[in-house]
Amino acid sequence: MKLIYVASPYAGDIEKNTEFARKACRYVMNEGHAFFAPHLLYPQLLNDANPDERQAGLDMGITVLEKCDELRCCGDRISSGMQAEIDLAKQLGIPIRYVSEEQILGTSDPVYAIWAKGKTDGLLAGQSGFLCENRKRLLFPSQDEAKVKIKDIRNLCLNTSPAAEYQCVDYPLEYASDRRMHLETLRELDMAPSFSPDKFEVKSQAYGNTGGGCMVGTVQFHLPELDKSVWVNCNDECVTVTSADYIWNDDHSESWERYDDVLLYQAGFDDVLPDDVEPWLPMIKKALEYTIDQETTYSKGRAFSLPTAWLPESIRKNADPEYLAWLQTEGKEAQVVCGGRIEIEKDYPQSGQSTFGMIVPS
């Protein structure tokens, strides 16, 4: 039977922390070991608010620590008193084991977290902590899940200077800390684009029914300046830009289950103007050109509706500017049919006239 020195936070919410310390001791006892918890014993005799008595308690605790087989750090936060005990245990060569609050309060299953550390040459230099999202620490039941999250975070970076480095760690182990880094802040820094909008290569194209009759065109673009790919997905209503092919899932990464983690941009064509979507505009126009060609060919007569501002240049250049201006004034969408031609509406004042690249309905 080992003698285990139990260290856990005490100051602050003393009632709550005392109850947690009791559970930590029972956790050690259930493993078949004897325990010593100075913050459960000495406050019964000494006044922690009295500096002399507090120091006497610390000194006696240290004396006992020297005789222990192991220091057990319990909980998700390292207090100043616990840090002093850790430092002494290291000096004495006493093994240190970290146990999370989750393990003590109900589960002994392994728990993993992501430790984020600001890049030394970035805005977050010197900062580090457990990665949090929506102010909640991210914990994972397996290393693989944590590593997928790290991969998704890195893939969302749109510049050559990521804000932080990430590491999957056993939780809490030597990283036990109440320090945090917030994913929202990191994303804001990482998603500031620093690539040239016109520098891209088309790597693949796909068009089809995603289910329920929703036809979508997807174009994979490689960004050489970042050495990564993005996928632009569009139909006649909206566009999404993602860091993974979540629609067709050719890489079998199940990225559709992590949509928020792979989403770079999304917008409805009725909600935004092209000038508002840099640096994605050239790629969106290219993906629209492909999608319109595929859908008008596939649908055999069905028009592709789109606000005139979003028409690709290959279609716009063959259209009548006056008709496009009329559509915009009337708040109407252009109806693009097979061959990239625009169908003229019957209520257009000049609907009886045919123009190259446009078609008058019979």
Side-chain angles (χ1 to χ4, degrees):
M1 181 180 289
K2 292 181 179 179
L3 177 58
I4 307 297
Y5 188 103
V6 176
S8 64
Y10 180 74
D13 189 339
I14 294 178
E15 182 177 352
K16 178 181 177 181
N17 292 339
T18 298
E19 180 60 27
F20 176 73
R22 291 194 185 102
K23 293 179 179 180
C25 291
R26 179 166 289 277
Y27 182 88
V28 170
M29 184 183 71
N30 289 341
E31 290 185 337
H33 304 304
F35 60 83
F36 174 73
H39 51 318
L40 287 183
L41 173 61
Y42 295 139
Q44 308 301 317
L45 308 172
L46 304 174
N47 181 3
D48 195 60
N50 183 310
D52 292 336
E53 293 196 8
R54 172 178 170 78
Q55 188 59 49
L58 293 174
D59 292 341
M60 287 188 288
I62 288 173
T63 300
V64 178
L65 174 59
E66 295 174 346
K67 309 292 192 274
C68 290
D69 299 296
E70 181 183 298
L71 170 64
R72 188 73 60 90
C73 291
C74 302
D76 302 339
R77 180 171 65 88
I78 302 296
S79 65
S80 58
M82 292 171 67
Q83 188 61 56
E85 293 165 332
I86 291 170
D87 293 341
L88 178 59
K90 289 180 178 179
Q91 293 176 19
L92 298 173
I94 296 173
I96 303 171
R97 181 182 170 191
Y98 297 82
V99 184
S100 70
E101 183 174 321
E102 284 82 358
Q103 289 173 285
I104 291 172
L105 296 183
T107 176
S108 59
D109 294 335
V111 179
Y112 302 92
I114 296 174
W115 185 258
K117 183 178 181 181
K119 286 290 191 72
T120 56
D121 56 349
L123 295 175
L124 301 180
Q127 299 185 39
S128 62
F130 285 116
L131 189 64
C132 298
E133 189 171 14
N134 297 322
R135 305 186 67 82
K136 183 178 180 180
R137 186 181 290 118
L138 295 176
L139 299 176
F140 305 87
S142 71
Q143 290 185 352
D144 288 342
E145 291 186 42
K147 289 177 180 178
V148 167
K149 183 72 172 182
I150 291 173
K151 180 180 179 181
D152 285 339
I153 294 170
R154 289 171 174 164
N155 284 342
L156 287 180
C157 185
L158 298 177
N159 55 65
T160 55
S161 301
E165 298 174 330
Y166 306 94
Q167 182 181 0
C168 171
V169 298
D170 294 341
Y171 180 79
L173 285 186
E174 69 270 20
Y175 290 94
S177 171
D178 58 355
R179 288 183 295 168
R180 301 185 175 197
M181 293 194 76
H182 297 278
L183 186 55
E184 292 81 3
T185 300
L186 295 165
R187 277 181 173 165
E188 184 177 353
L189 295 173
D190 281 350
M191 294 181 71
S194 64
F195 61 89
S196 304
D198 295 314
K199 289 187 178 181
F200 58 77
E201 303 168 5
V202 175
K203 302 297 289 185
S204 66
Q205 298 173 316
Y207 175 80
N209 188 341
T210 62
C214 182
M215 307 300 292
V216 175
T218 299
V219 180
Q220 177 188 1
F221 296 96
H222 183 256
L223 305 177
E225 293 169 310
L226 302 181
D227 192 24
K228 68 171 56 180
S229 286
V230 297
W231 284 258
V232 179
N233 318 280
C234 56
N235 54 24
D236 58 358
E237 295 181 352
C238 62
V239 59
T240 61
V241 184
T242 56
S243 61
D245 181 13
Y246 85 98
I247 290 184
W248 309 112
N249 198 46
D250 289 335
D251 61 356
H252 306 291
S253 67
E254 299 183 353
S255 55
W256 61 75
E257 296 181 354
R258 313 188 312 279
Y259 176 73
D260 290 338
D261 289 333
V262 302
L263 180 64
L264 292 164
Y265 179 80
Q266 66 177 345
F269 292 121
D270 290 330
D271 302 326
V272 298
L273 293 173
D275 291 344
D276 299 329
V277 300
E278 292 291 355
W280 305 115
L281 182 59
M283 285 177 274
I284 292 176
K285 287 288 189 75
K286 191 73 174 177
L288 269 173
E289 188 176 73
Y290 167 75
T291 304
I292 292 171
D293 176 69
Q294 293 294 303
E295 182 155 329
T296 54
T297 301
Y298 176 87
S299 62
K300 297 180 180 180
R302 179 172 174 268
F304 189 99
S305 300
L306 195 69
T308 57
W310 281 102
L311 288 172
E313 188 58 32
S314 59
I315 296 175
R316 179 183 294 276
K317 68 181 181 181
N318 293 323
D320 181 357
E322 293 185 8
Y323 179 65
L324 296 182
W326 179 80
L327 286 176
Q328 191 158 351
T329 300
E330 295 294 316
K332 297 176 178 288
E333 295 187 342
Q335 306 295 315
V336 185
V337 296
C338 188
R341 296 175 298 170
I342 295 179
E343 187 177 78
I344 298 178
E345 294 197 11
K346 292 181 179 180
D347 56 348
Y348 178 53
Q350 304 177 48
S351 60
Q353 301 180 18
S354 294
T355 304
F356 176 73
M358 304 180 71
I359 184 172
V360 180
S362 56

PDB file of all heavy atoms in Angstrom, residues 48-71:
ATOM      1  N   ASP A  48      -6.445  29.291   8.983  1.00  0.00           N
ATOM      2  CA  ASP A  48      -5.795  29.549   7.705  1.00  0.00           C
ATOM      3  C   ASP A  48      -5.634  31.043   7.428  1.00  0.00           C
ATOM      4  O   ASP A  48      -4.787  31.449   6.629  1.00  0.00           O
ATOM      5  CB  ASP A  48      -6.598  28.896   6.573  1.00  0.00           C
ATOM      6  CG  ASP A  48      -5.807  28.810   5.286  1.00  0.00           C
ATOM      7  OD1 ASP A  48      -4.736  28.168   5.283  1.00  0.00           O
ATOM      8  OD2 ASP A  48      -6.244  29.400   4.266  1.00  0.00           O
ATOM      9  N   ALA A  49      -6.443  31.865   8.093  1.00  0.00           N
ATOM     10  CA  ALA A  49      -6.337  33.318   7.897  1.00  0.00           C
ATOM     11  C   ALA A  49      -5.186  33.920   8.683  1.00  0.00           C
ATOM     12  O   ALA A  49      -4.805  35.071   8.454  1.00  0.00           O
ATOM     13  CB  ALA A  49      -7.659  33.984   8.294  1.00  0.00           C
ATOM     14  N   ASN A  50      -4.620  33.139   9.613  1.00  0.00           N
ATOM     15  CA  ASN A  50      -3.474  33.603  10.400  1.00  0.00           C
ATOM     16  C   ASN A  50      -2.200  33.201   9.665  1.00  0.00           C
ATOM     17  O   ASN A  50      -1.935  32.008   9.474  1.00  0.00           O
ATOM     18  CB  ASN A  50      -3.511  32.965  11.790  1.00  0.00           C
ATOM     19  CG  ASN A  50      -2.392  33.461  12.685  1.00  0.00           C
ATOM     20  OD1 ASN A  50      -1.223  33.467  12.293  1.00  0.00           O
ATOM     21  ND2 ASN A  50      -2.743  33.849  13.904  1.00  0.00           N
ATOM     22  N   PRO A  51      -1.390  34.165   9.214  1.00  0.00           N
ATOM     23  CA  PRO A  51      -0.210  33.841   8.416  1.00  0.00           C
ATOM     24  C   PRO A  51       0.725  32.847   9.093  1.00  0.00           C
ATOM     25  O   PRO A  51       1.257  31.949   8.429  1.00  0.00           O
ATOM     26  CB  PRO A  51       0.466  35.201   8.200  1.00  0.00           C
ATOM     27  CG  PRO A  51      -0.650  36.195   8.334  1.00  0.00           C
ATOM     28  CD  PRO A  51      -1.564  35.618   9.371  1.00  0.00           C
ATOM     29  N   ASP A  52       0.936  32.992  10.407  1.00  0.00           N
ATOM     30  CA  ASP A  52       1.848  32.087  11.112  1.00  0.00           C
ATOM     31  C   ASP A  52       1.301  30.657  11.141  1.00  0.00           C
ATOM     32  O   ASP A  52       2.029  29.693  10.894  1.00  0.00           O
ATOM     33  CB  ASP A  52       2.095  32.589  12.537  1.00  0.00           C
ATOM     34  CG  ASP A  52       2.882  33.887  12.556  1.00  0.00           C
ATOM     35  OD1 ASP A  52       3.608  34.148  11.570  1.00  0.00           O
ATOM     36  OD2 ASP A  52       2.767  34.639  13.548  1.00  0.00           O
ATOM     37  N   GLU A  53      -0.004  30.541  11.424  1.00  0.00           N
ATOM     38  CA  GLU A  53      -0.582  29.198  11.490  1.00  0.00           C
ATOM     39  C   GLU A  53      -0.681  28.578  10.091  1.00  0.00           C
ATOM     40  O   GLU A  53      -0.518  27.368   9.929  1.00  0.00           O
ATOM     41  CB  GLU A  53      -1.960  29.265  12.163  1.00  0.00           C
ATOM     42  CG  GLU A  53      -1.877  29.657  13.636  1.00  0.00           C
ATOM     43  CD  GLU A  53      -3.160  29.358  14.393  1.00  0.00           C
ATOM     44  OE1 GLU A  53      -4.059  28.712  13.806  1.00  0.00           O
ATOM     45  OE2 GLU A  53      -3.258  29.758  15.569  1.00  0.00           O
ATOM     46  N   ARG A  54      -0.963  29.426   9.101  1.00  0.00           N
ATOM     47  CA  ARG A  54      -1.012  28.906   7.726  1.00  0.00           C
ATOM     48  C   ARG A  54       0.355  28.359   7.331  1.00  0.00           C
ATOM     49  O   ARG A  54       0.472  27.275   6.753  1.00  0.00           O
ATOM     50  CB  ARG A  54      -1.444  30.002   6.743  1.00  0.00           C
ATOM     51  CG  ARG A  54      -1.335  29.580   5.276  1.00  0.00           C
ATOM     52  CD  ARG A  54      -1.820  30.674   4.334  1.00  0.00           C
ATOM     53  NE  ARG A  54      -1.503  30.360   2.963  1.00  0.00           N
ATOM     54  CZ  ARG A  54      -2.174  29.493   2.196  1.00  0.00           C
ATOM     55  NH1 ARG A  54      -3.205  28.837   2.706  1.00  0.00           N
ATOM     56  NH2 ARG A  54      -1.803  29.284   0.956  1.00  0.00           N
ATOM     57  N   GLN A  55       1.420  29.099   7.658  1.00  0.00           N
ATOM     58  CA  GLN A  55       2.771  28.658   7.321  1.00  0.00           C
ATOM     59  C   GLN A  55       3.128  27.382   8.071  1.00  0.00           C
ATOM     60  O   GLN A  55       3.793  26.490   7.517  1.00  0.00           O
ATOM     61  CB  GLN A  55       3.787  29.757   7.628  1.00  0.00           C
ATOM     62  CG  GLN A  55       5.197  29.458   7.141  1.00  0.00           C
ATOM     63  CD  GLN A  55       5.236  29.240   5.622  1.00  0.00           C
ATOM     64  OE1 GLN A  55       4.707  30.038   4.859  1.00  0.00           O
ATOM     65  NE2 GLN A  55       5.866  28.146   5.193  1.00  0.00           N
ATOM     66  N   ALA A  56       2.677  27.284   9.321  1.00  0.00           N
ATOM     67  CA  ALA A  56       2.947  26.063  10.103  1.00  0.00           C
ATOM     68  C   ALA A  56       2.299  24.869   9.429  1.00  0.00           C
ATOM     69  O   ALA A  56       2.892  23.773   9.347  1.00  0.00           O
ATOM     70  CB  ALA A  56       2.409  26.230  11.529  1.00  0.00           C
ATOM     71  N   GLY A  57       1.074  25.062   8.916  1.00  0.00           N
ATOM     72  CA  GLY A  57       0.396  23.981   8.212  1.00  0.00           C
ATOM     73  C   GLY A  57       1.137  23.575   6.955  1.00  0.00           C
ATOM     74  O   GLY A  57       1.277  22.382   6.650  1.00  0.00           O
ATOM     75  N   LEU A  58       1.643  24.571   6.214  1.00  0.00           N
ATOM     76  CA  LEU A  58       2.398  24.271   4.999  1.00  0.00           C
ATOM     77  C   LEU A  58       3.675  23.513   5.326  1.00  0.00           C
ATOM     78  O   LEU A  58       4.046  22.551   4.630  1.00  0.00           O
ATOM     79  CB  LEU A  58       2.713  25.581   4.256  1.00  0.00           C
ATOM     80  CG  LEU A  58       1.515  26.331   3.657  1.00  0.00           C
ATOM     81  CD1 LEU A  58       1.959  27.675   3.089  1.00  0.00           C
ATOM     82  CD2 LEU A  58       0.854  25.495   2.561  1.00  0.00           C
ATOM     83  N   ASP A  59       4.359  23.947   6.373  1.00  0.00           N
ATOM     84  CA  ASP A  59       5.618  23.292   6.752  1.00  0.00           C
ATOM     85  C   ASP A  59       5.384  21.838   7.169  1.00  0.00           C
ATOM     86  O   ASP A  59       6.160  20.942   6.804  1.00  0.00           O
ATOM     87  CB  ASP A  59       6.283  24.066   7.896  1.00  0.00           C
ATOM     88  CG  ASP A  59       6.784  25.434   7.450  1.00  0.00           C
ATOM     89  OD1 ASP A  59       6.941  25.627   6.228  1.00  0.00           O
ATOM     90  OD2 ASP A  59       7.009  26.295   8.328  1.00  0.00           O
ATOM     91  N   MET A  60       4.316  21.599   7.921  1.00  0.00           N
ATOM     92  CA  MET A  60       4.027  20.231   8.340  1.00  0.00           C
ATOM     93  C   MET A  60       3.637  19.374   7.143  1.00  0.00           C
ATOM     94  O   MET A  60       4.008  18.196   7.047  1.00  0.00           O
ATOM     95  CB  MET A  60       2.918  20.231   9.403  1.00  0.00           C
ATOM     96  CG  MET A  60       3.372  20.737  10.764  1.00  0.00           C
ATOM     97  SD  MET A  60       2.134  20.523  12.065  1.00  0.00           S
ATOM     98  CE  MET A  60       0.939  21.760  11.600  1.00  0.00           C
ATOM     99  N   GLY A  61       2.898  19.981   6.198  1.00  0.00           N
ATOM    100  CA  GLY A  61       2.531  19.248   5.001  1.00  0.00           C
ATOM    101  C   GLY A  61       3.747  18.837   4.199  1.00  0.00           C
ATOM    102  O   GLY A  61       3.832  17.716   3.686  1.00  0.00           O
ATOM    103  N   ILE A  62       4.703  19.745   4.095  1.00  0.00           N
ATOM    104  CA  ILE A  62       5.938  19.450   3.365  1.00  0.00           C
ATOM    105  C   ILE A  62       6.713  18.310   4.039  1.00  0.00           C
ATOM    106  O   ILE A  62       7.282  17.437   3.375  1.00  0.00           O
ATOM    107  CB  ILE A  62       6.797  20.727   3.258  1.00  0.00           C
ATOM    108  CG1 ILE A  62       6.145  21.702   2.264  1.00  0.00           C
ATOM    109  CG2 ILE A  62       8.224  20.395   2.837  1.00  0.00           C
ATOM    110  CD1 ILE A  62       6.812  23.055   2.201  1.00  0.00           C
ATOM    111  N   THR A  63       6.727  18.328   5.357  1.00  0.00           N
ATOM    112  CA  THR A  63       7.421  17.267   6.094  1.00  0.00           C
ATOM    113  C   THR A  63       6.824  15.899   5.770  1.00  0.00           C
ATOM    114  O   THR A  63       7.547  14.914   5.589  1.00  0.00           O
ATOM    115  CB  THR A  63       7.344  17.533   7.609  1.00  0.00           C
ATOM    116  OG1 THR A  63       7.962  18.783   7.905  1.00  0.00           O
ATOM    117  CG2 THR A  63       8.039  16.432   8.388  1.00  0.00           C
ATOM    118  N   VAL A  64       5.491  15.850   5.690  1.00  0.00           N
ATOM    119  CA  VAL A  64       4.837  14.585   5.368  1.00  0.00           C
ATOM    120  C   VAL A  64       5.072  14.219   3.899  1.00  0.00           C
ATOM    121  O   VAL A  64       5.277  13.048   3.561  1.00  0.00           O
ATOM    122  CB  VAL A  64       3.334  14.655   5.679  1.00  0.00           C
ATOM    123  CG1 VAL A  64       2.643  13.343   5.290  1.00  0.00           C
ATOM    124  CG2 VAL A  64       3.115  14.933   7.163  1.00  0.00           C
ATOM    125  N   LEU A  65       5.059  15.222   3.030  1.00  0.00           N
ATOM    126  CA  LEU A  65       5.267  14.955   1.607  1.00  0.00           C
ATOM    127  C   LEU A  65       6.596  14.229   1.370  1.00  0.00           C
ATOM    128  O   LEU A  65       6.685  13.345   0.511  1.00  0.00           O
ATOM    129  CB  LEU A  65       5.223  16.275   0.811  1.00  0.00           C
ATOM    130  CG  LEU A  65       5.556  16.179  -0.689  1.00  0.00           C
ATOM    131  CD1 LEU A  65       4.603  15.221  -1.401  1.00  0.00           C
ATOM    132  CD2 LEU A  65       5.506  17.567  -1.334  1.00  0.00           C
ATOM    133  N   GLU A  66       7.607  14.601   2.145  1.00  0.00           N
ATOM    134  CA  GLU A  66       8.918  13.969   1.985  1.00  0.00           C
ATOM    135  C   GLU A  66       8.870  12.464   2.247  1.00  0.00           C
ATOM    136  O   GLU A  66       9.722  11.711   1.772  1.00  0.00           O
ATOM    137  CB  GLU A  66       9.922  14.631   2.927  1.00  0.00           C
ATOM    138  CG  GLU A  66      10.186  16.096   2.585  1.00  0.00           C
ATOM    139  CD  GLU A  66      11.070  16.779   3.625  1.00  0.00           C
ATOM    140  OE1 GLU A  66      11.242  16.187   4.720  1.00  0.00           O
ATOM    141  OE2 GLU A  66      11.573  17.877   3.348  1.00  0.00           O
ATOM    142  N   LYS A  67       7.859  12.017   3.003  1.00  0.00           N
ATOM    143  CA  LYS A  67       7.739  10.598   3.347  1.00  0.00           C
ATOM    144  C   LYS A  67       6.801   9.831   2.405  1.00  0.00           C
ATOM    145  O   LYS A  67       6.669   8.617   2.517  1.00  0.00           O
ATOM    146  CB  LYS A  67       7.203  10.461   4.777  1.00  0.00           C
ATOM    147  CG  LYS A  67       7.951  11.269   5.827  1.00  0.00           C
ATOM    148  CD  LYS A  67       9.363  10.723   6.022  1.00  0.00           C
ATOM    149  CE  LYS A  67      10.019  11.331   7.259  1.00  0.00           C
ATOM    150  NZ  LYS A  67      10.682  12.591   7.038  1.00  0.00           N
ATOM    151  N   CYS A  68       6.131  10.548   1.490  1.00  0.00           N
ATOM    152  CA  CYS A  68       5.110   9.924   0.642  1.00  0.00           C
ATOM    153  C   CYS A  68       5.723   9.257  -0.593  1.00  0.00           C
ATOM    154  O   CYS A  68       6.823   9.613  -1.044  1.00  0.00           O
ATOM    155  CB  CYS A  68       4.077  10.961   0.217  1.00  0.00           C
ATOM    156  SG  CYS A  68       3.022  11.523   1.594  1.00  0.00           S
ATOM    157  N   ASP A  69       4.980   8.311  -1.130  1.00  0.00           N
ATOM    158  CA  ASP A  69       5.432   7.591  -2.327  1.00  0.00           C
ATOM    159  C   ASP A  69       5.032   8.308  -3.613  1.00  0.00           C
ATOM    160  O   ASP A  69       5.607   8.053  -4.675  1.00  0.00           O
ATOM    161  CB  ASP A  69       4.824   6.181  -2.346  1.00  0.00           C
ATOM    162  CG  ASP A  69       5.248   5.362  -1.125  1.00  0.00           C
ATOM    163  OD1 ASP A  69       6.454   5.100  -1.008  1.00  0.00           O
ATOM    164  OD2 ASP A  69       4.375   5.009  -0.310  1.00  0.00           O
ATOM    165  N   GLU A  70       4.025   9.159  -3.528  1.00  0.00           N
ATOM    166  CA  GLU A  70       3.525   9.804  -4.744  1.00  0.00           C
ATOM    167  C   GLU A  70       2.750  11.053  -4.387  1.00  0.00           C
ATOM    168  O   GLU A  70       2.099  11.129  -3.345  1.00  0.00           O
ATOM    169  CB  GLU A  70       2.617   8.831  -5.517  1.00  0.00           C
ATOM    170  CG  GLU A  70       2.044   9.380  -6.817  1.00  0.00           C
ATOM    171  CD  GLU A  70       1.111   8.384  -7.484  1.00  0.00           C
ATOM    172  OE1 GLU A  70       1.568   7.279  -7.864  1.00  0.00           O
ATOM    173  OE2 GLU A  70      -0.099   8.703  -7.606  1.00  0.00           O
ATOM    174  N   LEU A  71       2.827  12.066  -5.252  1.00  0.00           N
ATOM    175  CA  LEU A  71       1.995  13.251  -5.122  1.00  0.00           C
ATOM    176  C   LEU A  71       0.871  13.138  -6.141  1.00  0.00           C
ATOM    177  O   LEU A  71       1.117  12.948  -7.332  1.00  0.00           O
ATOM    178  CB  LEU A  71       2.806  14.522  -5.382  1.00  0.00           C
ATOM    179  CG  LEU A  71       2.003  15.825  -5.513  1.00  0.00           C
ATOM    180  CD1 LEU A  71       1.300  16.150  -4.202  1.00  0.00           C
ATOM    181  CD2 LEU A  71       2.903  16.986  -5.934  1.00  0.00           C
TER     182      LEU A  71
END
